[in-house]
Each structure stands twice: as C-alpha cells, then as structure tokens.
C-alpha cells in the first residue's frame, strides 16, 4: 500500500453499486469520508446499510464504480497482496451487528487475541494489547468465560474489545445500539466520544435516531430502494419528519409508495421537504 | 446408534478409526477445494446444526417420538463430503463433551453414521432423482434415501457389535465386550431402525427437504453435471468392496476361542424373538454358518468372511432391487398426477 | 403441544445445565485441574485403552479405585460423579446384558433356579458364570464412562479442545470443533425461543401432522439461517485479519507434576496388563 496521503479522504466512493444474486443491494453511491469524521448512515432494514459498511471494510467489492481507501483503490486484486491486506486490516475495524457473529472463539480471551494474533503482532505485543483492551472495557473478569455464558451487554463489550485490541484508525459499527439497555447505551456513547477525541474516524450504520444528534457530524440517508437520498447535517434531517417517515425511519406515518423509477424519487423527496 | 466404550474390543475400534481416516482426509481435501477459506465457519455452523437436530424428538405417527440424525438431509443439501465433516464434528462433540458414544468407539460411530450415512444418503438420492422429476417425487425420494441410509448405518453397527462375541472371549469362553452375536444383534437393531428410527429419519429428511425446496431451493447442493449411472455404479461397487474388506478387519486382531462362536444356545435366543417378517434378514446371515464345521475344507475364519461378504452383497442387491421398484412406482404415480 | 415438545425442551434444558455445571467444576482448585491438559488427556486415554484391553474383573476394580481416588483429590462432587455413571448405565447396558445371566445363554453352575419343568424341557436358572460375565461387561462400560466424565469434569472444555492437537488431530479440525461448540448454543437459543413462542401462541391439542410440519419448517429455517450466519462469521474473521490460516497462541507448560502423573498412570497400566490381565 502506498504511503497514506494526509490530505486524501479516508474513504472515497465513486458511483458505487452492488448486486447480490442479481438483486440490487446498493445503487449509485458517491461519498467522501474524511479523517476524524463521524458519519451516521441512516436507513430502514434492508436499505443496504450493512452492505455499505462491508464494502468500506473491503469485505464486499463494488459491482460497479470504485472505492478508494486512504487514497488507494481497494478491490479483490488489492487484497491478494499480503502486505496490502494486513496494512488495511490494521487500519480498519468492524463491529458487527450480531455479537454472536463476531464472537466465534471458545473464550473471551481467545476472542480478544484473535485479531492481534492474525494481524501478525509479536506474541508479547499480542498479550499486551489484549490485556489493555480487556482493562479499558472493564471486562477482565470475563477473560476465561465462554461467549455463550455472557449477557447481551457483556457480549457487546467483548465485541468492542476484539476491535480495540488492534486499535484501528477507522471504526465501522453496524447497529451498535440495537438491544442495548439504557446504561449500556450511555456507556457506548462515552466510548464513541473517546474514539473521536483520539481522532479516530467513525462510521455508524443505524436506524436509531436517538444517537444521531449527539454522535454525527454528517448523516447519510439510504432509501428502501438502496439509493442515497440525503447527505447533510443531522439537524436538518432530524427536523424533516415527512422525509424520515417516507424512508421508514419513524414509525407513525408509514406509507407505502408504488415502485418508482430513479428520477421520480428525487422529485418526490423535494416535494416532501419540510419548510420552516 | 452411538456405540459406547466397552462394547467393542480395542482392536475393532482401531480398525474402525483406520477405516474412517481415508474418508475424512478425502472429505477435507474436497471441501477445502470447493470452499477454500470459507470452509471453517461453514462446517462449524452446520456441525452445530447437526448436533441440534440430533437433540430433537420427532413426533411420529402413532404418538411416539424418535430421534433422527439429520445426516441424510445434510448430505443431500450440503453434498456428501461437507456432510461427512459436519457429522463427524458433531459426533466428536457428542462423545467428548456429552458422553454420547465412546471415545475408543468414536471411529466406529464416525464410520457408521458420519461416513456411510452421508454417502448412502446422498448417492441414493442422486441415483433415484431426475432433474425433471416433480417436487413431490423428489421429496419422496429424499425421504426414502433418509430411511434406507439410516438402516444401512444401523446394519453396520449391528454387524460390528455382533462380531464381538465371535472374536473376543476370555479363557473361560465368556464374552468380554458386546455379548450377542450376529443372529441377535442384527435383528434387534434392525427392528428398531426399520420402524421408529428409520421413520424419524425419513420424516425429517422428507419434510425438511420439502421446506427447503419450497423456500430456498438454491441451497441444495448440485455438482453441476448430473451423476451418470456409470460413475455411480463405479462408486457403489467400490463402496461395496470396501465394506466387504472392512467387515473382517477385526480378524487381524489376536482373538481367542474361535470354536465357540456358533453356539446353538445363542442362535436359539436370537431366533426366538425375530418376528416372521425378519426371517429373510436373519437367513442372510445364518445360511452358510451352520456348516462351519465341515472338517478340513474351510476354517471358521474363512467361513465367517465368506458369510459376511455374502450378507453385504445380498443386502446391497436387496436394497438396489427395492429402490428400482420404488423408482418405477414413483414414475407411474407422477404420470397419474399430471 | 405434545410429548415431543416437552422432551426436546427438557433435553435442551438439561444440556445447558450440564454445561454450566461442568464449567464450574472444571475451574475448581484440584489435583487434575492443576495438570497440563495434554498430559491429562494422554494419560486418561492410556487408562481407557487398558480398561478395554484387560480381561479380569480385578483389573477393572483396581483402575476404578484409582479413578475414584483421582476424583476425590480433584474435588469432583462425588454424588454427581457416581450418579452420572451408575444411574443411567443399568438402563442401557443393564438391559442389554440381562439375558446373559440365565442358563439358556450362559450355561454353568446354577446359582438360583427359577423355573424347572422337566416334562416340558423348560429349565430357567441364573448361573454363576452368567452373572460374572454380565457384571464384567457392565463394569467395563462403567469404568470407561467414568474416565471420560472425569476428563470432562476436570478440564475446561477449551483446554480439552486444544489438547487434542497432541493426539495428531489437525489444528483446523480443532478450530472447527471449538467454533461448532460455540454455535450449538446460538442455535439452541434460537430453537428454545421458537419453541416457546409457538407454545405461547397455541392452546389445546395440535395434531402430530401439524407438529411435524412445524418442526420441519423450524429445521429448514435453521438450515437457511446457518448459511447466512456462516457467511457472516467468515466476514468477521476476515475483518480481523484471518487470511486462510489459523494462528493460535499456546501457553501450556509442562512441569514435574505432569510427568509424575503421566508416569504413575503408565506404570499402573503396564503392571495391570502384565500381571493381572
């Protein structure tokens, strides 16, 4: 991987589309994410948020368009190169929505050492990093527990520790607040603040509007047709109730709309725009 | 069908481990080639599923319940090689952590259920099914494949158990491991499996197959090209030869007290509770045995091997015959429907 | 909702309890717990082989006494340990060997005559060699099971798993075993939830046919979900640096206690095989 250019954005998406088994999952997304930014991707279930995150993490590759990370195009060829693979993986961390997917090892300890071990850190460094991660998240006592004996909140914290152990620059979160109790949620928001203070780039996919106002510098809204329908400041979007309702992000005024073509949708959005 | 420790002599157990090994190696190579790095999570999750299915009590017609292994359906859905691996992993976990089946006898359990059931389940299905078959017929075929494959596995288990008293006794001629010979072990095992366990397996295989066919047909494993009958014949032939070779493997071990294994008393006991319908089965095994003391011509070891071979062959032929009849009937049924 | 429902839920429940209980016992302080799991596994397998090789009842008794001694010094709850082996064994092996005790199966010195009608050629009695043979088989099975239970109760399962590598089990297979064990619980949780939600929605009797259909859809759902889940797990492994090669960190260390235990077991087994048989 080429030396990172400090001016170039962390991610740069150009007209990215993605199809899964001939079904559209994302359509024509163009976006820049700069270093230290906090971006929230809003969208209803099935709008393609998770897919977008997985593309940012180099797990899926665009069917059309291209993605650059740290100024270099990432595609299957890029990851074939061992050096590129490890370099990218060390920089970008992903916290999956379902902790059961993230926690696949026999014990919490095995889970936390997995990333540093596989990313090629020395044994002493692996131990140091794992211990620090457990300590920072206050879960040292869970070290020898198997993941199936953990509560939901504990699982989430362990999932964070697995990523914290390799301390990536960029953190991607998929539905991080789903099924968290209020106390765990506020703890998680503190954790996000710490990341931001340290200058980490944070991208969160969610449909939970409650964290948008505090946590986002910018908000991207995906429609149920897998298109980007808004990109802007959180306040403007949060106050636009009809818009949120249309995209299934608030519950009350859910209304279906017929199959519409690409063009119509944008007109539709502006029609619905709320005026102060 | 899980054989616990203490039922098989260590020699038989060793032979069964040895018999399983080449299949496991072949299976992991095959699966690795197809799935590459995705293999680890895929096999893990499906092994877990296999384990969970074995825990279910299946409600059977008539109000009873029975367990199914789910191995036939996973062979049809995942393909035989992935199914061998996932069933093996599930069996290892059952033996290691939950005491279901022994550690020394694990090789035998892997062979009977993991390997033989996966292969027979899959190949029976592929042999009988045609791509233009109606969904209904495919479901029936899947179900039959499940029923037959679990019975073949049970038969193998019964044979392994039944040869123990023939091979291993203490100096007083008393059984050390499983105490009954083939006359007893085969009919007793088969009664249970031809009825309850077979039914449970058939039902699970058929119903789950129907569900997948309706909801997510793209899950079902296909090798692209359909199985040619020549290839299949070759495979079943090799399998049969292998089975015949395997059965007397235990003979290599230093057994004791050969002369006593044809005891009238044991035969009496065994035959006294075989229902009329199973006479055919037991005669497969019995037929050549009463003549074992033809002096000087054949020794008991050779006769034993001979009778085992004959048994395997006859069973195979019988199943083949049964299947072709079913296949013909199924074909007619289908044309009536349309 | 029927027997199958109750039985399955009860089965899952007892499995989970057993797992939690085992986990607790295996982390107690005790002799076997302090040993290197690899040494422990090899030693117990040598014992298991010996149990299955020997012929005499005395050999089995000697080994069983040794097992009980190990259980005591490893603070294994005795009541549980004995119950786990002896409560269920008679139901399975006991029934199987039961006919052996009669003269029609095992002729020999009569111990107790049950029926004797010479006119009808009926004579049923319990014989001494019959009883001995039956008990010998039961005992062999019981000692074998005890050994496995002892290993499982005194070793956290992930240590047991890692120690399999010394038995020439390939590393990939060990990783798969670990992951399987983990996902059994994820699936069981799903199953339990689906059973309970069905129970809460249904009142009254449901036909066996309906139950079978529902069970099939449950298994089918699990199949489909398993595909999705395995794909996601693969991605999450990749995301954390997995590149077709599993790396593990082994921290086992052998010391003199381990060697002492191993040689003790070996000497016991060799002596039993050579001198008692």
């Amino acid at each position: 991987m080429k030396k990172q250019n400090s001016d170039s954005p962390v991610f740069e998406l150009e007209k990215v589309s993605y199809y899964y088994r001939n079904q559209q999952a994302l359509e024509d997304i163009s976006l820049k994410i700069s270093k230290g930014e906090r971006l929230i991707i809003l969208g209803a279930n099935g709008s393609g948020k998770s897919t977008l995150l997985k593309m940012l993490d180099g797990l899926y590759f665009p069917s059309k368009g291209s993605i650059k990370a740290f100024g270099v195009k990432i595609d299957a060829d890029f990851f074939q190169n061992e050096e590129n693979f490890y370099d990218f993986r060390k920089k970008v961390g992903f916290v999956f929505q379902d902790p059961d997917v993230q926690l696949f090892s026999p014990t919490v300890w095995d889970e936390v050492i997995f990333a540093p071990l596989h990313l090629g850190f020395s044994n002493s460094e692996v131990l140091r990093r794992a211990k620090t991660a457990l300590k920072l998240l206050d879960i040292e006592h869970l070290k020898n527990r198997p993941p199936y004996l953990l509560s939901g909140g504990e699982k989430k914290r362990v999932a964070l520790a697995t990523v914290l152990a390799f301390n990536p620059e960029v953190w991607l979160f998929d539905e991080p607040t789903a099924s968290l109790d209020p106390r765990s949620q506020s703890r998680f928001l503190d954790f996000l603040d710490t990341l931001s203070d340290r200058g980490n780039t944070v991208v969160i996919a969610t449909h939970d509007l409650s964290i948008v106002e505090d946590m986002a510098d910018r908000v991207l809204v995906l429609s149920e047709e897998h298109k980007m329908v808004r990109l802007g400041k959180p306040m403007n979007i949060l106050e636009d109730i009809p818009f949120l309702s249309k995209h299934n992000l608030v519950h009350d005024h859910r209304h279906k709309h017929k199959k519409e073509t690409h063009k119509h949708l944008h007109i539709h959005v502006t029609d619905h725009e709320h005026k102060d | 069908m899980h054989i616990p420790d203490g039922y098989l002599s260590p020699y038989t157990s060793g032979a069964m481990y040895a018999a399983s090994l080449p299949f496991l190696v072949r299976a992991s190579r095959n699966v690795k080639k197809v799935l590459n790095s995705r293999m680890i999570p895929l096999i893990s999750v499906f092994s877990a599923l296999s384990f969970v299915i074995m825990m279910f009590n299946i409600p059977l017609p008539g109000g009873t319940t029975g367990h199914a292994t789910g191995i036939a359906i996973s062979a049809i859905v995942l393909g035989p090689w992935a199914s061998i691996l996932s069933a093996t992993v599930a069996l290892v976990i059952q033996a290691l952590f939950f005491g279901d089946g022994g550690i020394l006898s694990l090789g035998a359990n892997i062979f009977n259920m993991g390997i033989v059931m996966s292969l027979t389940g899959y190949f029976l299905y592929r042999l009988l099914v045609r791509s233009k078959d109606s969904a209904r017929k495919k479901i029936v075929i899947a179900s039959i494949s499940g029923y037959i494959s679990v019975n073949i596995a049970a038969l193998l288990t019964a044979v392994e158990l039944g040869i123990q008293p023939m091979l291993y006794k203490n100096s007083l001629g008393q059984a050390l491991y499983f105490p009954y010979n083939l006359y007893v072990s085969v009919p007793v095992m088969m009664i249970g499996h031809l009825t309850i366990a077979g039914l449970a397996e058939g039902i699970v295989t058929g119903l789950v197959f129907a569900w997948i066919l309706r909801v997510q047909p793209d899950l079902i494993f296909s090798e692209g090209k359909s199985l040619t009958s020549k290839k299949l014949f070759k495979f079943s032939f090799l399998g049969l030869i292998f089975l015949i070779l395997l059965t007397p493997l235990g003979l290599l071990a230093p057994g004791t007290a050969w002369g006593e294994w044809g005891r009238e008393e044991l035969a009496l006991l065994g035959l006294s509770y075989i229902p009329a319908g199973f006479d055919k089965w037991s005669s497969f095994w019995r037929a050549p045995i009463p003549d074992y003391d033809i002096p000087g011509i054949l020794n008991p070891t050779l006769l034993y091997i001979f009778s085992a071979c004959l048994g395997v062959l006859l069973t195979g032929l019988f199943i083949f015959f049964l299947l072709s009849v079913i296949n013909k009937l199924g074909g007619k049924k289908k044309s009536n429907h349309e | 909702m029927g027997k199958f429902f109750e039985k399955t839920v009860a089965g899952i429940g007892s499995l989970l309890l057993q797992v939690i209980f085992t986990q607790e016992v295996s982390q107690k302080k005790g002799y076997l717990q302090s040993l290197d799991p690899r040494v422990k596994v090899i030693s117990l397998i040598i014992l298991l082989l010996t149990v299955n090789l020997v012929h005499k009842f005395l050999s089995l008794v000697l080994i069983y006494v040794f097992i009980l001694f190990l259980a005591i010094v490893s603070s294994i709850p005795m009541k549980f340990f004995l119950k786990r082996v002896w409560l269920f064994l008679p139901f399975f092996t006991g029934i199987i060997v039961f006919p052996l005790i009669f003269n029609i199966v095992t002729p020999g010195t009569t111990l107790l005559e049950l029926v004797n009608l010479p006119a009808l050629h009926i004579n049923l009695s319990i014989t001494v060699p019959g009883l001995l043979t039956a008990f010998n088989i039961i005992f062999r099975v019981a000692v074998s099971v005890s050994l496995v239970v002892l290993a499982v109760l005194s070793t956290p399962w992930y240590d047991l798993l890692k120690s399999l590598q010394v038995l020439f089990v390939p590393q990939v297979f060990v990783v798969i075993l670990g992951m399987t064990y983990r996902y059994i619980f994820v699936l069981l949780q799903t199953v339990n939830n689906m059973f309970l939600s069905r129970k809460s929605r249904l009142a009254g009797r449901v036909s066996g046919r309906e139950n079978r259909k529902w069970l099939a859809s449950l298994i089918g759902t699990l199949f489909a979900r398993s595909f999705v889940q395995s794909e996601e797990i693969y991605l999450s492994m990749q995301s954390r640096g997995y590149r077709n090669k599993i790396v593990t960190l082994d921290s086992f260390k052998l010391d003199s206690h381990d060697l002492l235990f191993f040689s003790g077991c070996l000497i016991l087994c060799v002596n039993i095989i050579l001198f008692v048989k």
Side-chain angles (χ1 to χ4, degrees):
Chain A
M1 200 166 173
K2 284 175 207 160
K3 268 266 152 90
Q4 186 183 331
N5 185 345
S6 53
D7 300 333
S8 64
V10 176
F11 292 111
E12 208 172 343
L13 285 75
E14 218 181 288
K15 298 194 168 166
V16 168
S17 298
Y18 185 76
Y19 304 94
Y20 179 71
R21 289 186 183 168
N22 295 323
Q23 283 197 326
Q24 195 181 37
L26 274 178
E27 180 76 20
D28 200 23
I29 311 276
S30 295
L31 170 73
K32 277 182 192 173
I33 301 173
S34 45
K35 193 168 158 38
E37 185 180 3
R38 292 192 296 192
L39 175 76
I40 285 188
I41 304 170
L42 266 182
N45 287 334
S47 58
K49 304 182 300 263
S50 296
T51 309
L52 185 52
L53 278 189
K54 282 170 190 160
M55 295 179 90
L56 295 180
D57 199 25
L59 299 171
Y60 294 164
F61 305 114
S63 311
K64 274 193 225 156
S66 69
I67 299 183
K68 279 184 181 174
F70 313 105
V72 186
K73 187 177 168 189
I74 52 168
D75 51 17
D77 289 340
F78 172 84
F79 284 105
Q80 282 301 313
N81 180 313
E82 199 174 304
E83 200 188 323
N84 287 344
F85 176 88
Y86 289 117
D87 201 28
F88 180 87
R89 294 278 166 241
K90 279 179 195 169
K91 282 185 183 155
V92 184
F94 193 151
V95 182
F96 281 70
Q97 173 180 4
D98 180 1
D100 282 333
V101 159
Q102 183 122 16
L103 310 182
F104 44 76
S105 302
T107 64
V108 169
W109 174 252
D110 290 310
E111 203 61 73
V112 178
I113 63 173
F114 186 94
L117 206 55
H118 284 80
L119 290 169
F121 291 101
S122 70
N123 281 359
S124 57
E125 184 66 10
V126 169
L127 297 181
R128 194 186 66 79
R129 281 170 176 262
K131 279 180 190 153
T132 317
L134 289 176
K135 198 172 170 197
L136 285 175
L137 286 157
D138 195 21
I139 46 172
E140 287 157 303
H141 57 291
L142 303 178
K143 190 180 158 194
N144 284 323
R145 289 256 209 108
Y148 56 82
L149 291 180
L150 301 178
S151 71
E154 286 171 335
K155 276 185 190 170
K156 268 266 147 80
R157 268 195 280 167
V158 175
L160 291 180
T162 65
V163 176
L164 189 61
F166 64 99
N167 193 19
E169 287 176 39
V170 181
W171 285 68
L172 310 171
F173 294 92
D174 197 357
E175 297 286 2
T177 54
S179 68
L180 278 191
D181 57 68
R183 196 166 132 237
S184 307
Q185 170 145 353
S186 87
R187 257 181 151 155
F188 171 70
L189 296 180
D190 290 344
F191 181 78
L192 281 186
D193 276 337
T194 318
L195 287 184
S196 287
D197 292 344
R198 297 196 316 185
N200 294 82
T201 310
V202 175
V203 182
I204 303 172
T206 186
H207 58 238
D208 178 1
L209 292 174
S210 70
I211 61 171
V212 170
E213 193 179 343
D214 293 335
M215 286 302 146
D217 298 328
R218 270 197 310 167
V219 178
L220 182 162
V221 183
L222 285 176
S223 71
E224 283 172 297
E225 289 75 29
H226 321 290
K227 289 170 192 157
M228 187 166 92
V229 283
R230 270 289 184 89
L231 180 63
K233 293 273 172 223
M235 280 323 282
N236 296 344
I237 290 168
L238 281 179
E239 284 169 0
D240 190 348
I241 302 297
F243 171 79
L244 293 174
S245 165
K246 177 177 174 334
H247 294 289
N248 214 352
L249 291 162
V250 281
H251 300 289
D252 335 2
H253 299 292
R254 186 179 166 175
H255 46 216
K256 273 192 178 164
H257 36 113
K258 296 159 209 149
K259 279 186 183 167
E260 304 198 41
T261 59
H262 180 151
K263 240 182 205 165
H264 288 128
L265 196 82
H266 284 281
I267 300 164
H268 220 110
V269 170
T270 40
D271 279 349
H272 274 246
E273 205 162 49
H274 193 85
K275 287 185 179 137
D276 291 341
Chain B
M1 217 194 301
H2 295 64
I3 306 175
D5 276 331
Y7 280 48
L8 295 180
S9 79
Y11 307 111
T12 314
S13 301
M16 296 311 287
Y17 269 110
S20 300
L21 198 64
F23 286 95
L24 293 179
V25 170
R26 168 87 200 267
S28 42
R29 283 215 186 116
N30 239 331
V31 172
K32 225 177 198 163
K33 206 168 69 194
V34 180
L35 293 166
N36 200 0
S37 49
R38 279 173 169 70
M39 182 183 88
I40 290 179
L42 189 84
I43 298 296
S44 306
V45 172
F46 277 92
S47 306
L49 184 63
S50 221
F51 181 96
V52 170
I53 293 178
M54 288 193 222
M55 284 194 70
F56 285 148
N57 283 279
I58 315 295
L60 297 175
T64 52
T65 63
H67 285 277
T69 64
I71 293 172
I73 181 65
S74 76
I76 295 171
V77 177
L78 300 177
W81 302 109
S83 168
I84 285 178
L85 288 189
S86 69
T88 298
V89 172
L91 289 169
V92 171
I93 288 189
Q94 282 184 322
L96 265 185
F97 303 109
F98 302 106
D100 231 346
I103 302 295
L104 294 183
S105 56
L106 182 61
N109 289 327
I110 289 175
F111 190 83
N112 301 337
M113 285 185 270
I115 295 170
V116 170
M117 224 182 133
S118 293
L119 291 176
T120 52
Y122 175 77
F123 283 110
L124 278 173
Y125 175 76
R126 291 298 294 244
L127 176 71
L128 295 175
V129 87
R130 298 283 169 272
S131 51
K132 55 181 191 296
D133 283 344
S134 65
R136 196 196 179 93
K137 192 179 163 196
K138 281 183 181 167
I139 293 163
V140 171
I141 290 172
S143 185
I144 291 170
S145 308
Y147 179 83
I148 294 177
S149 62
V150 77
N151 275 292
I152 292 177
L155 183 62
L156 256 172
T157 310
V159 170
E160 286 150 21
L161 292 172
I163 61 174
Q164 297 307 310
M166 304 176 166
L167 296 176
Y168 312 102
K169 292 186 173 190
N170 66 10
S171 47
L172 298 170
Q174 292 159 345
L176 288 165
Y177 308 103
F178 187 80
Y180 307 109
N181 65 14
L182 293 170
Y183 304 142
V184 183
S185 69
V186 170
V188 169
M189 192 78 172
M190 294 323 286
I191 290 170
H193 282 81
L194 286 166
T195 54
I196 295 185
L199 208 58
E201 196 71 44
I203 284 175
V204 163
T205 313
L207 286 177
V208 174
F209 189 76
W211 188 92
I212 293 176
L213 212 55
R214 200 179 68 234
V215 180
Q216 249 178 314
D218 56 324
L219 287 187
I220 294 164
F221 177 85
S222 65
E223 271 180 331
K225 280 172 286 179
S226 72
L227 219 56
T228 60
S229 52
K230 200 176 149 200
K231 197 172 157 196
L232 197 90
F233 184 75
K234 200 177 109 198
F235 193 90
S236 4
F237 190 68
L238 285 177
L240 215 57
I241 290 188
F242 184 80
L243 280 184
I244 293 168
L245 287 177
L246 172 96
T247 319
L249 255 183
L251 298 182
L252 301 174
T256 48
W258 264 99
E260 286 166 325
W261 57 279
R263 275 257 210 33
E264 282 307 307
E265 294 91 333
L266 290 179
L268 263 174
L269 180 83
L271 293 175
S272 66
Y273 52 83
I274 304 170
F278 290 104
D279 275 348
K280 223 186 292 169
W281 282 94
S282 61
S283 62
F284 283 169
W285 301 102
R286 198 161 53 104
I289 295 178
D291 304 305
Y292 78 93
D293 53 353
I294 305 168
I297 300 173
L298 282 171
N299 67 16
T301 313
L302 283 178
L303 254 171
Y304 166 68
I305 295 174
F306 176 71
S307 65
C309 293
L310 200 65
V312 172
L313 260 172
L314 288 176
T315 316
L317 284 176
F318 174 70
I319 288 167
F320 197 81
F321 172 74
L322 189 77
L323 284 175
S324 39
V325 170
I326 290 167
N327 201 18
K328 283 215 178 89
L329 288 178
K332 270 181 201 153
K333 212 173 168 184
K334 185 197 153 206
S335 54
N336 286 345
H337 270 286
E338 284 169 3
Chain C
M1 220 171 114
K3 255 198 307 189
F4 92 95
F5 171 82
E6 305 294 343
K7 276 190 190 169
T8 305
V9 170
I12 293 174
S14 73
L15 183 124
L16 292 178
L17 276 181
Q18 188 191 327
V19 166
I20 292 170
F21 179 79
T22 310
Q23 184 71 20
E24 277 168 12
V25 175
S26 68
Q27 289 184 341
K28 279 189 182 177
K29 293 240 178 302
Y31 177 65
L32 282 177
Q33 287 90 332
S34 73
L35 293 175
D36 183 301
R38 296 171 298 176
V39 171
K40 190 164 39 178
V41 164
I42 290 192
S43 309
L44 293 180
I45 283 181
I46 292 175
L47 279 167
L48 186 61
L49 258 175
T50 310
V51 167
N52 282 275
L53 274 172
V54 294
H55 287 188
K56 289 222 175 97
F57 192 60
L58 177 63
S59 317
L60 296 177
V61 173
L62 285 176
I63 295 179
Y64 193 58
V65 169
F66 182 59
I67 292 173
L68 290 179
F69 168 75
L70 286 178
I72 290 168
V73 294
S74 308
S75 37
I76 307 276
M78 258 313 162
K79 215 172 119 198
F80 174 84
F81 186 60
L82 294 174
K83 232 168 69 181
R84 172 90 188 266
V85 176
W86 290 105
L87 195 66
F88 296 108
L89 210 68
F91 284 108
F92 297 106
T93 307
I95 287 170
I96 289 173
V97 301
F98 183 67
L100 280 183
I101 65 173
F102 300 107
N103 61 335
I104 49 167
V105 186
T106 321
T109 325
T110 303
L111 183 76
L112 178 71
E113 198 161 76
L114 299 175
V115 188
N116 191 6
L117 299 166
L120 295 168
H121 296 285
I122 294 177
N123 180 340
L124 189 68
S125 54
I126 296 173
T127 65
V128 176
L131 263 183
L132 286 178
T133 309
F135 202 67
N136 202 22
I137 292 174
I138 292 197
F139 208 65
R140 188 191 308 278
V141 175
V143 177
S144 304
V145 173
S146 302
L147 270 169
V148 178
V149 172
L150 191 65
V152 170
L153 279 179
S154 67
T155 323
W157 77 273
Y158 40 87
D159 280 349
L160 201 58
L161 205 66
K162 284 174 191 160
S163 64
L164 288 180
Q165 275 181 48
V166 285
L167 297 171
F168 308 106
V169 178
Q171 189 201 28
V172 172
F173 204 74
V174 174
V175 172
I176 290 177
L177 275 174
M179 222 181 255
T180 302
Y181 193 86
R182 159 95 187 82
Y183 285 101
I184 284 172
F185 294 95
V186 175
L187 287 175
L188 283 182
Q189 194 141 33
T190 315
V191 170
N192 235 0
N193 291 343
M194 285 172 88
F195 266 105
L196 292 179
S197 79
R198 178 168 164 89
K199 196 182 186 186
S200 68
R201 269 182 287 127
L202 287 177
R205 286 187 60 83
V206 185
S207 72
R209 209 184 130 82
E210 280 298 306
N211 274 335
R212 279 193 290 281
K213 267 188 131 167
W214 176 77
L215 202 62
S217 74
L218 167 65
I219 297 176
T221 310
L222 290 179
F223 253 106
R225 200 178 281 186
S226 299
F227 266 106
V228 175
Q229 194 151 40
S230 75
E231 181 68 22
E232 287 275 297
I233 296 163
Y234 171 64
L235 293 179
S236 102
M237 290 167 74
Q238 237 188 347
S239 171
R240 272 153 62 201
Y242 167 72
R243 205 168 183 266
N244 307 347
K245 209 179 85 213
I246 281 283
V247 189
T248 50
L249 196 65
D250 286 324
S251 49
F252 294 137
K253 270 190 206 107
L254 291 183
D255 65 18
S256 53
H257 289 289
D258 298 317
L259 293 176
L260 194 68
F261 177 69
F262 178 72
S263 11
C265 288
L266 201 62
I267 290 168
L268 178 75
C269 290
V270 169
N271 277 311
I272 284 179
I273 290 176
L274 285 182
F275 301 113
V276 192
K277 286 183 187 169

